[in-house]
């Protein structure tokens, strides 16, 4: 979860942490934030995130992001 927190810090969203829920449904982050997070994820892992993973439900909270990354980056 610390890595995910660092992604948010890198995009200057210090207001979001592992206890923040409903990031999408409560409009805490928007599509610009998601694309910035995707860029951070791709930079960190050194490979592109498949477009099929870039959907709102995967960015709802730290746990959904973690779950998505475990699947997306295992190959």
């Amino acid at each position: 979860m610390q890595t995910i927190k660092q992604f948010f810090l890198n995009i200057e969203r210090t207001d979001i942490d592992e206890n923040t829920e409903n990031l999408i449904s409560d409009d805490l982050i928007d599509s610009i934030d998601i694309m910035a997070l995707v860029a951070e994820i791709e930079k960190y892992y050194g490979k592109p995130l498949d477009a099929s993973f870039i959907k709102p439900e995967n960015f709802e909270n730290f746990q959904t992001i973690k779950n998505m990354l475990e699947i997306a980056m295992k190959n």
Side-chain angles (χ1 to χ4, degrees):
M1 296 289 191
Q2 188 60 37
T3 302
I4 297 168
K5 184 174 178 75
Q6 189 61 51
F7 294 153
F8 280 98
L9 293 175
N10 290 351
I11 66 165
E12 300 180 6
R13 290 304 306 266
T14 57
D15 58 318
I16 296 173
D17 64 26
E18 57 275 358
N19 298 313
T20 311
E21 296 288 328
N22 307 319
L23 295 174
I24 301 292
S25 54
D26 287 349
D27 293 325
L28 298 175
I29 62 172
D30 59 16
S31 59
I32 303 297
D33 292 321
I34 290 174
M35 295 316 297
L37 285 170
V38 168
E40 288 297 319
I41 290 166
E42 291 176 342
K43 184 167 60 172
Y44 180 81
Y45 286 99
K47 65 181 190 176
L49 180 62
D50 188 279
S52 66
F53 291 101
I54 304 172
K55 49 190 173 186
E57 57 267 25
N58 286 337
F59 292 88
E60 193 64 43
N61 57 50
F62 274 47
Q63 189 61 52
T64 60
I65 295 169
K66 179 178 181 280
N67 294 346
M68 177 214 25
L69 292 175
E70 286 174 351
I71 296 167
M73 297 301 172
K74 71 177 179 182
N75 295 329

Coordinates of all heavy atoms in Angstrom, one line a residue:
M1 N 0.8 -1.2 0.0 CA 0.0 0.0 0.0 C 0.9 1.3 0.0 O 0.4 2.3 -0.5 CB -0.9 0.0 1.2 CG -1.9 -1.1 1.2 SD -3.2 -0.9 0.0 CE -4.3 -2.1 0.5
Q2 N 2.1 1.1 0.5 CA 3.0 2.3 0.5 C 3.3 2.8 -0.9 O 3.4 4.0 -1.1 CB 4.2 2.0 1.3 CG 5.1 3.2 1.5 CD 4.4 4.3 2.3 OE1 3.7 4.0 3.2 NE2 4.7 5.5 2.0
T3 N 3.4 1.8 -1.8 CA 3.7 2.2 -3.2 C 2.6 3.0 -3.8 O 2.8 4.0 -4.5 CB 4.0 0.9 -4.0 OG1 5.1 0.2 -3.4 CG2 4.3 1.2 -5.5
I4 N 1.4 2.5 -3.5 CA 0.2 3.2 -4.0 C 0.1 4.6 -3.4 O -0.2 5.6 -4.1 CB -1.1 2.4 -3.7 CG1 -1.0 1.1 -4.5 CG2 -2.4 3.2 -4.1 CD1 -2.1 0.1 -4.1
K5 N 0.4 4.7 -2.1 CA 0.4 6.1 -1.5 C 1.4 7.0 -2.2 O 1.2 8.1 -2.4 CB 0.7 5.9 0.0 CG 0.7 7.2 0.7 CD 0.8 7.0 2.2 CE 0.8 8.3 3.0 NZ -0.4 8.9 3.1
Q6 N 2.6 6.4 -2.5 CA 3.6 7.2 -3.2 C 3.1 7.6 -4.6 O 3.4 8.8 -5.0 CB 4.9 6.4 -3.3 CG 6.1 7.2 -3.8 CD 6.4 8.3 -2.9 OE1 6.6 8.2 -1.7 NE2 6.5 9.5 -3.5
F7 N 2.4 6.8 -5.3 CA 1.8 7.2 -6.6 C 1.0 8.5 -6.4 O 1.1 9.4 -7.2 CB 0.9 6.1 -7.2 CG 1.7 4.9 -7.6 CD1 1.0 3.7 -7.7 CD2 3.0 4.9 -8.0 CE1 1.6 2.5 -8.1 CE2 3.7 3.7 -8.4 CZ 3.0 2.5 -8.4
F8 N 0.1 8.5 -5.3 CA -0.7 9.7 -5.1 C 0.1 10.9 -4.7 O -0.1 12.0 -5.1 CB -1.8 9.4 -4.0 CG -3.0 8.7 -4.6 CD1 -3.1 7.3 -4.4 CD2 -4.0 9.3 -5.2 CE1 -4.2 6.6 -5.0 CE2 -5.1 8.7 -5.7 CZ -5.2 7.3 -5.6
L9 N 1.2 10.7 -3.9 CA 2.1 11.8 -3.5 C 2.8 12.3 -4.8 O 2.9 13.6 -4.9 CB 3.1 11.3 -2.5 CG 2.6 10.9 -1.1 CD1 3.7 10.4 -0.3 CD2 2.0 12.1 -0.5
N10 N 3.2 11.5 -5.7 CA 3.8 11.9 -6.9 C 3.0 12.7 -7.8 O 3.5 13.6 -8.6 CB 4.4 10.7 -7.7 CG 5.5 10.0 -7.0 OD1 6.0 10.5 -6.0 ND2 5.9 8.8 -7.5
I11 N 1.6 12.5 -7.7 CA 0.7 13.4 -8.6 C 0.2 14.5 -7.7 O -0.8 15.1 -8.1 CB -0.4 12.5 -9.2 CG1 -1.4 11.9 -8.2 CG2 0.2 11.5 -10.1 CD1 -2.6 11.4 -8.8
E12 N 0.8 14.8 -6.6 CA 0.5 15.9 -5.7 C -1.0 15.8 -5.1 O -1.6 16.8 -4.9 CB 0.7 17.2 -6.4 CG 2.1 17.4 -6.8 CD 2.4 18.7 -7.6 OE1 1.5 19.5 -7.7 OE2 3.6 18.8 -8.0
R13 N -1.4 14.6 -4.8 CA -2.7 14.4 -4.1 C -2.4 13.9 -2.7 O -2.7 12.7 -2.4 CB -3.5 13.4 -4.9 CG -4.1 13.9 -6.3 CD -4.9 15.2 -6.1 NE -6.0 15.1 -5.1 CZ -7.2 14.8 -5.5 NH1 -7.5 14.6 -6.7 NH2 -8.1 14.7 -4.5
T14 N -1.8 14.8 -1.9 CA -1.5 14.4 -0.5 C -2.7 14.3 0.3 O -2.6 13.8 1.5 CB -0.5 15.5 0.0 OG1 -1.2 16.8 -0.1 CG2 0.8 15.6 -0.7
D15 N -3.8 14.6 -0.2 CA -5.1 14.5 0.6 C -5.7 13.1 0.6 O -6.6 12.8 1.3 CB -6.1 15.5 0.0 CG -6.4 15.3 -1.4 OD1 -5.5 15.1 -2.2 OD2 -7.6 15.4 -1.8
I16 N -5.1 12.2 -0.2 CA -5.6 10.9 -0.3 C -4.6 9.9 0.3 O -3.5 9.9 0.0 CB -5.9 10.5 -1.8 CG1 -6.9 11.5 -2.4 CG2 -6.2 9.1 -2.0 CD1 -7.1 11.4 -3.9
D17 N -5.2 9.0 1.1 CA -4.4 7.9 1.7 C -5.1 6.6 1.7 O -6.2 6.5 1.2 CB -3.9 8.3 3.1 CG -5.0 8.5 4.1 OD1 -6.1 7.9 4.0 OD2 -4.8 9.3 5.1
E18 N -4.5 5.6 2.4 CA -5.1 4.3 2.3 C -6.5 4.2 3.0 O -7.2 3.2 2.8 CB -4.1 3.2 2.9 CG -3.7 3.5 4.3 CD -2.5 4.5 4.4 OE1 -2.0 4.9 3.4 OE2 -2.1 4.8 5.6
N19 N -6.8 5.2 3.8 CA -8.1 5.1 4.4 C -9.2 5.9 3.6 O -10.4 5.8 4.0 CB -8.0 5.8 5.8 CG -7.1 5.0 6.7 OD1 -7.2 3.8 6.8 ND2 -6.2 5.7 7.4
T20 N -8.8 6.5 2.6 CA -9.8 7.2 1.7 C -10.6 6.2 0.9 O -9.9 5.4 0.2 CB -9.1 8.2 0.8 OG1 -8.2 9.0 1.7 CG2 -10.1 9.1 0.2
E21 N -11.9 6.2 0.9 CA -12.7 5.3 0.1 C -13.5 6.1 -0.9 O -13.6 7.4 -0.9 CB -13.7 4.6 1.1 CG -13.1 3.7 2.1 CD -12.5 2.4 1.5 OE1 -13.1 1.9 0.5 OE2 -11.5 2.0 2.0
N22 N -14.1 5.4 -1.8 CA -15.0 6.0 -2.8 C -14.3 7.1 -3.6 O -14.9 8.2 -3.9 CB -16.3 6.5 -2.2 CG -17.0 5.5 -1.4 OD1 -17.1 4.3 -1.8 ND2 -17.5 5.8 -0.2
L23 N -13.1 6.9 -4.1 CA -12.4 7.9 -4.8 C -13.1 8.4 -6.1 O -13.1 9.6 -6.4 CB -11.0 7.4 -5.2 CG -10.0 7.1 -4.0 CD1 -8.8 6.4 -4.5 CD2 -9.8 8.3 -3.2
I24 N -13.7 7.4 -6.8 CA -14.4 7.8 -8.0 C -15.8 8.2 -7.7 O -16.3 9.3 -8.1 CB -14.4 6.6 -9.0 CG1 -13.0 6.1 -9.3 CG2 -15.3 6.9 -10.2 CD1 -12.2 7.1 -10.2
S25 N -16.6 7.4 -6.9 CA -18.0 7.7 -6.7 C -18.3 8.9 -5.9 O -19.3 9.6 -6.1 CB -18.7 6.5 -6.1 OG -18.0 6.1 -4.9
D26 N -17.3 9.4 -5.1 CA -17.4 10.6 -4.4 C -16.7 11.8 -5.1 O -16.5 12.9 -4.5 CB -16.9 10.5 -3.0 CG -17.9 9.7 -2.1 OD1 -19.0 9.4 -2.5 OD2 -17.4 9.4 -1.0
D27 N -16.3 11.6 -6.3 CA -15.6 12.6 -7.2 C -14.3 13.1 -6.5 O -14.0 14.3 -6.6 CB -16.5 13.7 -7.5 CG -17.6 13.3 -8.5 OD1 -17.4 12.4 -9.3 OD2 -18.7 13.8 -8.3
L28 N -13.6 12.3 -5.7 CA -12.3 12.7 -5.1 C -11.2 12.8 -6.1 O -10.3 13.6 -6.0 CB -12.0 11.8 -3.9 CG -13.0 11.8 -2.8 CD1 -12.6 10.8 -1.7 CD2 -13.1 13.2 -2.2
I29 N -11.3 11.9 -7.1 CA -10.3 11.9 -8.2 C -11.1 11.9 -9.5 O -12.3 11.4 -9.6 CB -9.3 10.8 -8.2 CG1 -10.0 9.4 -8.3 CG2 -8.5 10.8 -6.9 CD1 -9.0 8.2 -8.5
D30 N -10.5 12.4 -10.6 CA -11.2 12.4 -11.9 C -10.3 11.7 -12.9 O -9.3 11.2 -12.6 CB -11.5 13.9 -12.3 CG -10.3 14.8 -12.4 OD1 -9.2 14.2 -12.5 OD2 -10.5 16.0 -12.4
S31 N -10.7 11.8 -14.2 CA -10.0 11.1 -15.3 C -8.6 11.6 -15.4 O -7.7 10.9 -15.7 CB -10.7 11.3 -16.6 OG -10.9 12.6 -16.9
I32 N -8.3 12.9 -15.1 CA -7.0 13.5 -15.2 C -6.1 12.8 -14.1 O -5.0 12.4 -14.4 CB -7.0 15.0 -15.0 CG1 -7.9 15.7 -16.0 CG2 -5.5 15.6 -15.0 CD1 -7.4 15.5 -17.5
D33 N -6.6 12.7 -12.9 CA -5.9 12.0 -11.8 C -5.6 10.5 -12.2 O -4.5 10.0 -11.9 CB -6.7 12.0 -10.5 CG -6.8 13.4 -9.9 OD1 -5.8 14.2 -10.0 OD2 -7.9 13.8 -9.4
I34 N -6.6 9.9 -12.8 CA -6.4 8.5 -13.2 C -5.3 8.3 -14.2 O -4.4 7.5 -14.0 CB -7.7 7.8 -13.7 CG1 -8.7 7.7 -12.5 CG2 -7.5 6.5 -14.4 CD1 -10.1 7.2 -13.0
M35 N -5.3 9.2 -15.2 CA -4.2 9.1 -16.2 C -2.9 9.5 -15.6 O -1.9 8.8 -16.0 CB -4.6 10.0 -17.4 CG -5.8 9.6 -18.1 SD -5.9 7.8 -18.5 CE -4.5 7.5 -19.5
A36 N -2.8 10.4 -14.6 CA -1.6 10.7 -13.9 C -1.1 9.5 -13.1 O 0.1 9.1 -13.1 CB -1.7 11.9 -13.0
L37 N -2.1 8.8 -12.5 CA -1.7 7.6 -11.7 C -1.2 6.5 -12.7 O -0.3 5.8 -12.3 CB -3.0 7.0 -11.0 CG -3.3 7.8 -9.7 CD1 -4.7 7.3 -9.2 CD2 -2.3 7.7 -8.6
V38 N -1.9 6.3 -13.8 CA -1.4 5.3 -14.8 C 0.0 5.6 -15.2 O 0.8 4.7 -15.3 CB -2.4 5.3 -16.0 CG1 -1.8 4.5 -17.1 CG2 -3.8 4.7 -15.6
A39 N 0.3 6.9 -15.5 CA 1.7 7.2 -15.8 C 2.7 6.9 -14.7 O 3.8 6.3 -15.0 CB 1.8 8.7 -16.2
E40 N 2.3 7.1 -13.5 CA 3.2 6.8 -12.3 C 3.3 5.2 -12.2 O 4.4 4.7 -12.0 CB 2.6 7.3 -11.0 CG 2.7 8.8 -10.9 CD 4.2 9.3 -10.9 OE1 5.0 8.6 -10.2 OE2 4.5 10.3 -11.5
I41 N 2.2 4.5 -12.4 CA 2.3 3.1 -12.4 C 3.2 2.5 -13.5 O 4.1 1.7 -13.2 CB 0.9 2.5 -12.5 CG1 0.0 2.8 -11.2 CG2 0.9 1.0 -12.8 CD1 -1.4 2.6 -11.4
E42 N 3.0 3.0 -14.7 CA 3.9 2.6 -15.8 C 5.3 2.9 -15.6 O 6.2 2.1 -15.9 CB 3.3 3.2 -17.1 CG 2.0 2.6 -17.5 CD 1.4 3.2 -18.7 OE1 1.8 4.3 -19.2 OE2 0.5 2.6 -19.3
K43 N 5.6 4.1 -15.0 CA 7.0 4.4 -14.8 C 7.6 3.5 -13.7 O 8.7 3.0 -13.8 CB 7.0 5.9 -14.3 CG 8.4 6.5 -14.1 CD 8.5 8.0 -14.0 CE 7.6 8.5 -12.8 NZ 7.8 9.9 -12.5
Y44 N 6.8 3.2 -12.7 CA 7.3 2.4 -11.6 C 7.6 1.0 -12.0 O 8.6 0.4 -11.7 CB 6.3 2.4 -10.4 CG 6.6 1.5 -9.3 CD1 7.5 2.0 -8.3 CD2 6.1 0.2 -9.1 CE1 7.9 1.2 -7.2 CE2 6.5 -0.6 -8.0 CZ 7.3 -0.1 -7.1 OH 7.7 -0.9 -6.0
Y45 N 6.6 0.4 -12.8 CA 6.8 -1.0 -13.2 C 7.6 -1.1 -14.5 O 8.0 -2.2 -14.9 CB 5.4 -1.7 -13.4 CG 4.8 -2.0 -12.1 CD1 3.8 -1.1 -11.6 CD2 5.1 -3.1 -11.4 CE1 3.2 -1.4 -10.3 CE2 4.5 -3.4 -10.2 CZ 3.6 -2.6 -9.6 OH 3.0 -2.9 -8.4
G46 N 7.8 0.0 -15.2 CA 8.6 -0.1 -16.4 C 7.9 -0.8 -17.6 O 8.6 -1.2 -18.5
K47 N 6.6 -0.8 -17.6 CA 5.9 -1.3 -18.7 C 4.5 -0.7 -18.7 O 4.0 -0.2 -17.7 CB 5.8 -2.9 -18.6 CG 5.0 -3.5 -17.4 CD 5.1 -5.0 -17.5 CE 4.2 -5.6 -16.5 NZ 4.1 -7.1 -16.6
P48 N 3.8 -0.8 -19.9 CA 2.5 -0.1 -19.9 C 1.4 -0.9 -19.2 O 1.5 -2.2 -19.1 CB 2.2 -0.1 -21.4 CG 3.1 -1.1 -22.0 CD 4.3 -1.3 -21.1
L49 N 0.4 -0.2 -18.7 CA -0.7 -0.8 -18.1 C -1.7 -1.1 -19.2 O -2.1 -0.1 -19.9 CB -1.3 0.1 -17.0 CG -2.5 -0.4 -16.3 CD1 -2.2 -1.7 -15.5 CD2 -3.1 0.7 -15.3
D50 N -2.1 -2.3 -19.4 CA -3.1 -2.6 -20.4 C -4.4 -1.8 -20.3 O -4.9 -1.6 -19.2 CB -3.4 -4.1 -20.4 CG -4.3 -4.6 -21.6 OD1 -5.5 -4.4 -21.5 OD2 -3.7 -5.1 -22.5
A51 N -4.9 -1.3 -21.4 CA -6.0 -0.4 -21.3 C -7.3 -1.0 -20.7 O -8.1 -0.4 -20.1 CB -6.4 0.1 -22.8
S52 N -7.3 -2.4 -20.8 CA -8.5 -3.0 -20.2 C -8.6 -2.9 -18.7 O -9.7 -3.0 -18.1 CB -8.5 -4.5 -20.5 OG -7.4 -5.2 -19.9
F53 N -7.5 -2.5 -18.0 CA -7.5 -2.3 -16.6 C -7.8 -0.8 -16.2 O -8.1 -0.6 -15.0 CB -6.1 -2.6 -16.0 CG -5.8 -4.1 -16.0 CD1 -5.0 -4.6 -17.0 CD2 -6.4 -5.0 -15.1 CE1 -4.7 -6.0 -17.0 CE2 -6.1 -6.3 -15.1 CZ -5.3 -6.8 -16.1
I54 N -7.8 0.0 -17.2 CA -8.1 1.5 -16.9 C -9.6 1.7 -16.9 O -10.1 2.2 -17.9 CB -7.3 2.4 -17.8 CG1 -5.8 2.0 -17.8 CG2 -7.5 3.8 -17.5 CD1 -5.0 2.7 -18.9
K55 N -10.2 1.4 -15.8 CA -11.6 1.6 -15.7 C -11.9 2.1 -14.2 O -11.2 1.8 -13.3 CB -12.4 0.4 -16.0 CG -12.0 -0.9 -15.4 CD -12.7 -2.1 -16.1 CE -12.1 -3.4 -15.5 NZ -12.7 -4.5 -16.2
P56 N -12.9 2.9 -14.1 CA -13.2 3.5 -12.8 C -13.2 2.6 -11.6 O -12.6 2.9 -10.5 CB -14.5 4.2 -13.0 CG -14.7 4.5 -14.4 CD -13.9 3.3 -15.1
E57 N -13.8 1.4 -11.7 CA -13.9 0.6 -10.6 C -12.6 0.1 -10.0 O -12.5 -0.3 -8.9 CB -14.9 -0.6 -10.8 CG -14.5 -1.5 -12.0 CD -15.1 -1.0 -13.3 OE1 -15.5 0.1 -13.5 OE2 -15.3 -1.9 -14.2
N58 N -11.5 0.1 -10.9 CA -10.2 -0.3 -10.4 C -9.5 0.8 -9.6 O -8.4 0.6 -9.1 CB -9.3 -0.7 -11.6 CG -9.7 -2.1 -12.1 OD1 -10.3 -2.8 -11.4 ND2 -9.4 -2.3 -13.4
F59 N -10.1 2.0 -9.6 CA -9.4 3.2 -8.9 C -10.3 3.7 -7.8 O -10.2 4.9 -7.4 CB -9.1 4.3 -9.9 CG -8.0 3.9 -10.9 CD1 -8.4 3.2 -12.1 CD2 -6.7 4.1 -10.6 CE1 -7.4 2.8 -13.0 CE2 -5.7 3.7 -11.5 CZ -6.1 3.1 -12.7
E60 N -11.2 2.9 -7.2 CA -12.1 3.3 -6.2 C -11.5 3.5 -4.8 O -11.9 4.4 -4.1 CB -13.3 2.3 -6.1 CG -14.5 2.8 -5.3 CD -15.2 4.0 -5.9 OE1 -15.4 4.0 -7.1 OE2 -15.5 4.9 -5.1
N61 N -10.5 2.7 -4.5 CA -9.7 2.9 -3.3 C -8.4 2.1 -3.4 O -8.1 1.6 -4.4 CB -10.6 2.3 -2.1 CG -11.0 0.9 -2.2 OD1 -10.2 0.1 -2.6 ND2 -12.3 0.6 -2.1
F62 N -7.6 2.2 -2.3 CA -6.3 1.6 -2.4 C -6.4 0.1 -2.6 O -5.5 -0.5 -3.3 CB -5.5 1.9 -1.1 CG -4.8 3.2 -1.1 CD1 -5.4 4.4 -1.5 CD2 -3.5 3.2 -0.6 CE1 -4.7 5.6 -1.5 CE2 -2.8 4.4 -0.6 CZ -3.4 5.6 -1.0
Q63 N -7.3 -0.6 -2.0 CA -7.5 -2.0 -2.2 C -7.8 -2.4 -3.6 O -7.2 -3.3 -4.2 CB -8.5 -2.6 -1.2 CG -8.5 -4.1 -1.2 CD -7.2 -4.7 -0.7 OE1 -6.7 -4.3 0.3 NE2 -6.6 -5.6 -1.5
T64 N -8.7 -1.7 -4.3 CA -9.0 -2.0 -5.7 C -7.8 -1.7 -6.6 O -7.6 -2.5 -7.6 CB -10.3 -1.3 -6.2 OG1 -10.1 0.2 -6.1 CG2 -11.5 -1.7 -5.4
I65 N -7.0 -0.7 -6.3 CA -5.8 -0.4 -7.1 C -4.8 -1.5 -6.9 O -4.2 -2.0 -7.8 CB -5.2 1.0 -6.7 CG1 -6.2 2.1 -7.1 CG2 -3.9 1.2 -7.4 CD1 -5.8 3.5 -6.5
K66 N -4.6 -1.9 -5.6 CA -3.7 -3.0 -5.3 C -4.1 -4.3 -6.0 O -3.3 -5.0 -6.6 CB -3.7 -3.2 -3.8 CG -2.7 -4.4 -3.3 CD -2.7 -4.4 -1.8 CE -1.8 -5.5 -1.3 NZ -2.4 -6.9 -1.4
N67 N -5.4 -4.6 -6.0 CA -5.9 -5.8 -6.6 C -5.6 -5.8 -8.1 O -5.2 -6.8 -8.7 CB -7.4 -6.0 -6.4 CG -7.7 -6.3 -4.9 OD1 -6.8 -6.6 -4.1 ND2 -9.0 -6.2 -4.5
M68 N -5.9 -4.6 -8.7 CA -5.7 -4.5 -10.2 C -4.2 -4.7 -10.5 O -3.9 -5.4 -11.4 CB -6.2 -3.1 -10.6 CG -5.9 -2.9 -12.1 SD -5.5 -1.2 -12.6 CE -4.8 -0.3 -11.3
L69 N -3.4 -4.1 -9.7 CA -1.9 -4.1 -10.0 C -1.4 -5.6 -9.9 O -0.5 -6.0 -10.6 CB -1.1 -3.2 -9.1 CG -1.4 -1.7 -9.4 CD1 -0.6 -0.8 -8.4 CD2 -0.9 -1.4 -10.8
E70 N -1.9 -6.3 -8.9 CA -1.5 -7.7 -8.7 C -1.8 -8.5 -9.9 O -1.0 -9.4 -10.3 CB -2.1 -8.3 -7.5 CG -1.6 -7.8 -6.2 CD -2.3 -8.3 -4.9 OE1 -3.4 -8.9 -5.1 OE2 -1.8 -8.0 -3.8
I71 N -2.9 -8.3 -10.6 CA -3.3 -9.0 -11.8 C -2.6 -8.4 -13.0 O -2.0 -9.2 -13.8 CB -4.8 -8.9 -12.0 CG1 -5.5 -9.7 -10.8 CG2 -5.2 -9.5 -13.3 CD1 -7.0 -9.4 -10.8
A72 N -2.6 -7.1 -13.1 CA -2.1 -6.5 -14.3 C -0.5 -6.6 -14.5 O -0.1 -6.7 -15.6 CB -2.4 -5.0 -14.3
M73 N 0.2 -6.6 -13.4 CA 1.6 -6.6 -13.5 C 2.3 -8.0 -13.2 O 3.5 -8.1 -13.1 CB 2.2 -5.6 -12.5 CG 1.8 -4.2 -12.9 SD 2.3 -3.7 -14.5 CE 1.5 -2.2 -14.7
K74 N 1.5 -9.0 -13.1 CA 2.1 -10.3 -12.8 C 2.8 -11.0 -14.0 O 3.6 -11.9 -13.8 CB 1.1 -11.3 -12.1 CG 0.1 -11.8 -13.0 CD -0.8 -12.8 -12.3 CE -1.9 -13.4 -13.2 NZ -2.8 -14.3 -12.5
N75 N 2.5 -10.6 -15.2 CA 3.1 -11.2 -16.4 C 4.3 -10.4 -16.8 O 4.4 -9.3 -16.7 CB 2.0 -11.2 -17.5 CG 0.9 -12.1 -17.2 OD1 1.1 -13.1 -16.5 ND2 -0.3 -11.7 -17.7

